[in-house]
Amino acid sequence: MNEVLKALRKKHNFERSAVEIYSAQIRAFPEREIADRLKAAMANEQEHVNDLRARIGELEGDCSRLGVFFQSAGKVLGFTTTLLGKVFLLRTDISIEKRAVKGYGELLQKVDFDEKSRSLVQKNLEDEKVHIKRWEESIEILKGRQ
Ligand SMILES: [Fe+2]
Ligand SMILES: [Fe+2]
């Protein structure tokens, strides 16, 4: 398999777990501003999943069979964080997103992407940076309420 497809498949798996993590976390927040941010991030992660899947299809690849595993892992991780306190949950999300930014950045350096795949990876990377900002804001919102 070529390196572009391999990279896109890997990110497709991670994005699938991101959707499940946020989906499981929404119910932990009666604070509407934060729940809304989580819903928006979940929808955005779903876009990442769909865009990656579409690009993999255009390159005539198929998605990894491990996808279901990543989905379940995301569910478990998301649920577990809801037991550990809201600030802890948000800090975990920040570290997950930082890893995503780093992972996308490394791929951009290493992999010889075609233009369309490269701009998809770049767009996702920028979105993950926005998620980091959202969780930092959310921690401030929670602190303001104590
Ligand atoms: Fe994402
Ligand atoms: Fe994200």
Side-chain angles (χ1 to χ4, degrees):
M1 193 195 323
N2 73 48
E3 59 166 4
V4 172
L5 267 177
K6 205 170 153 192
L8 297 179
R9 278 170 63 135
K10 182 175 163 194
K11 295 326 274 182
H12 181 254
N13 280 339
F14 280 105
E15 295 294 352
R16 281 178 77 169
S17 57
V19 173
E20 297 301 332
I21 290 169
Y22 292 143
S23 157
Q25 290 178 336
I26 293 166
R27 73 201 66 183
F29 290 89
E31 297 83 355
R32 218 181 118 205
E33 325 76 305
I34 301 180
D36 286 348
R37 282 174 167 81
L38 279 164
K39 279 181 205 156
M42 181 182 78
N44 192 211
E45 303 298 5
Q46 186 65 54
E47 266 177 60
H48 296 171
V49 171
N50 298 347
D51 293 348
L52 285 163
R53 185 189 300 140
R55 188 64 195 140
I56 289 167
E58 284 168 5
L59 296 172
E60 286 166 7
D62 50 11
C63 293
S64 143
R65 285 193 206 95
L66 289 176
V68 178
F69 165 78
F70 278 88
Q71 237 172 321
S72 317
K75 263 181 214 164
V76 172
L77 179 59
F79 175 72
T80 306
T81 57
T82 65
L83 307 174
L84 299 171
K86 293 174 193 170
V87 172
F88 183 90
L89 177 158
L90 291 165
R91 290 210 176 109
T92 306
D93 290 352
I94 290 172
S95 74
I96 292 168
E97 293 287 357
K98 282 188 174 163
R99 247 182 289 155
V101 168
K102 195 169 163 237
Y104 275 126
E106 285 169 357
L107 287 181
L108 286 171
Q109 288 196 335
K110 271 197 329 219
V111 179
D112 186 20
F113 286 109
D114 58 273
E115 208 171 310
K116 199 168 173 190
S117 302
R118 174 167 294 270
S119 67
L120 170 57
V121 168
Q122 251 152 1
K123 184 207 168 262
N124 288 5
L125 189 153
E126 292 308 315
D127 288 346
E128 312 304 12
K129 284 187 189 164
V130 174
H131 298 159
I132 294 172
K133 241 181 259 162
R134 293 291 168 265
W135 312 143
E136 286 168 350
E137 286 162 16
S138 301
I139 290 173
E140 292 311 309
I141 292 171
L142 286 173
K143 282 185 180 160
R145 297 217 169 149
Q146 279 163 8

